[in-house]
Amino acid sequence: MNNTRLADIAAQAGVSEATVSRVLNGKAGVSPATRQAVLTALDLMGYERPQRLRQRSNGLIGLVIPELGNPIFPAFAQAMEKSLIQHGYTPILCTQEPGGAPEDEFTEMLLDRGVSGIVFVSGLHADTTARMDRYTRLTDRGLPIVLVDGYNEGIPAPFISPDDRLAARLAVQHLVDLGHERIGLALGQRRFVPVIRKIEGFRQAMAQLLGPADVDDLIQHSLFSVEGGQAAAAALLDRGCTGIFCASDLMALGAIRAARERGLSVPGDVSVVGFDDSPLMAFTDPPLTTVRKPIGAMAAAAVETLLEEIGGTPAKHVELVYQPELVVRGSTSSGPRVNR
């Protein structure tokens, strides 16, 4: 490596060129923290590590996620990848884009590559109409798997979930506290476990906070997308809703668009609450009030649970449920009851 590169790496790491040289040549007399700083600088600047300094991987781990269009999934994948790399494993990211390879093809590909385990995020396990033998075949052969977002009684594996019922309750409670009584719920197809659970939480919260009533016409199914949220919100606005809880942040952005198309202001005329707190939601117009999904805790738990299985701990058929929290920003304000 020439002197210019040495100087650049030394400046990036905050050490002398002599120290960089010692690390690259594997010489003694460098503290572990300094050595790591030099290697990190090397990585950040795009230089390849010398062969002898490359960490041997403990194994390959498959991460199967639905798509990259919704920012919550890349955030989840990034958190898991970081944790896996820290534990010495190499992640293989498989993304199920529409029209691309289906989940079962990815699984076969990962098995062919001899992965040590697989994490499935919002996969077919969350779909109550899908066959679950695709997962039991993996557990029968002893492959460690962890399933995120969507519990199924028939799969003998660990599950990691947010408390979807609580998420709906937090949103409804917030909107009721602001004076809204006509509150709508916009979500994806009813066959998915997180959708079913949010509906249960919504029905329970509405009954407890506003009294027994038929809320069927306040629940609108669509797609988990901006366009889906826009369509669902349009239907709910037709039914007189002044507050809308959306089952994803992207749907919430669509709901805001639907309100504005009608000349309504958010939050002046309509309050909108999202779910996920995906990256950049603090910077939308208005900044989105949302129920934060505990991505960091869930990703860490998924990796830790998988690595325990890989280490020989028998897989437990258990669901670890993580609590969401309400993040109040600018897309919610006083409803009709307060304004009267």
Side-chain angles (χ1 to χ4, degrees):
M1 188 170 284
N2 64 37
N3 288 338
T4 306
R5 287 182 178 178
L6 278 178
D8 289 344
I9 295 164
Q12 175 73 32
V15 299
S16 68
E17 290 179 45
T19 298
V20 172
S21 181
R22 294 183 76 83
V23 171
L24 296 180
N25 290 303
K27 299 283 179 63
V30 181
S31 73
T34 301
R35 173 187 156 83
Q36 189 56 50
V38 171
L39 293 177
T40 300
L42 207 66
D43 296 341
L44 286 172
M45 299 179 75
Y47 296 132
E48 278 195 30
R49 295 185 183 191
Q51 188 69 41
R52 64 177 168 276
L53 296 180
R54 293 177 194 172
Q55 185 180 25
R56 283 186 58 81
S57 174
N58 289 329
L60 305 175
I61 302 291
L63 304 178
V64 182
I65 67 170
E67 44 141 336
L68 296 177
N70 184 337
I72 199 66
F73 294 124
F76 214 115
Q78 189 172 30
M80 287 193 293
E81 286 182 332
K82 182 178 179 184
S83 182
L84 285 167
I85 290 167
Q86 286 172 345
H87 285 92
Y89 286 84
T90 302
I92 302 177
L93 184 62
C94 300
T95 308
Q96 300 177 79
E97 292 294 347
E103 184 177 311
D104 292 340
E105 280 188 29
F106 278 135
T107 301
E108 285 303 315
M109 179 268 288
L110 292 169
L111 291 174
D112 288 345
R113 280 161 176 71
V115 292
S116 302
I118 304 175
V119 179
F120 294 92
V121 179
S122 297
L124 291 169
H125 63 277
D127 186 339
T128 56
T129 64
R131 291 176 54 181
M132 295 300 141
D133 58 351
R134 54 176 46 89
Y135 302 108
T136 53
R137 282 199 298 270
L138 298 176
T139 56
D140 286 347
R141 66 189 285 173
L143 182 77
I145 64 171
V146 172
L147 303 125
V148 179
D149 263 347
Y151 179 72
N152 188 285
E153 189 66 44
I155 307 172
F159 290 80
I160 311 290
S161 305
D163 190 334
D164 288 296
R165 296 182 186 93
L166 176 60
R169 179 176 184 86
L170 289 171
V172 171
Q173 179 79 63
H174 175 59
L175 291 168
V176 169
D177 287 347
L178 288 170
H180 295 274
E181 294 173 341
R182 192 80 176 154
I183 298 168
L185 174 63
L187 26 64
Q189 300 96 317
R190 66 178 74 243
R191 67 180 190 270
F192 295 111
V193 173
V195 169
I196 294 167
R197 289 178 168 182
K198 284 189 180 74
I199 291 173
E200 290 171 355
F202 177 78
R203 288 186 185 278
Q204 187 179 39
M206 292 290 281
Q208 288 178 347
L209 298 172
L210 295 173
D214 182 4
V215 297
D216 285 353
D217 67 333
L218 301 179
I219 299 170
Q220 185 65 39
H221 294 276
S222 186
L223 299 175
F224 283 110
S225 64
V226 173
E227 294 77 15
Q230 185 175 356
L236 292 169
L237 291 171
D238 284 343
R239 296 169 202 157
C241 291
T242 63
I244 301 175
F245 171 46
C246 298
S248 78
D249 289 338
L250 292 187
M251 292 189 83
L253 297 182
I256 293 171
R257 185 194 285 176
R260 286 181 173 158
E261 275 192 342
R262 296 171 181 232
L264 301 173
S265 75
V266 177
D269 300 309
V270 182
S271 286
V272 176
V273 181
F275 176 74
D276 282 337
D277 196 27
S278 42
L280 305 181
M281 290 307 121
F283 307 101
T284 58
D285 178 26
L288 187 67
T289 294
T290 188
V291 180
R292 176 178 292 157
K293 192 174 184 176
I295 288 296
M298 289 175 63
V303 169
E304 189 177 320
T305 304
L306 189 73
L307 296 187
E308 280 182 9
E309 283 187 69
I310 292 169
T313 303
K316 296 185 180 72
H317 185 197
V318 64
E319 183 180 25
L320 304 177
V321 180
Y322 287 80
Q323 292 218 337
E325 68 175 294
L326 179 72
V327 181
V328 179
R329 297 194 182 107
S331 63
T332 51
S333 68
S334 299
R337 181 160 52 82
V338 173
N339 292 334
R340 278 203 293 263

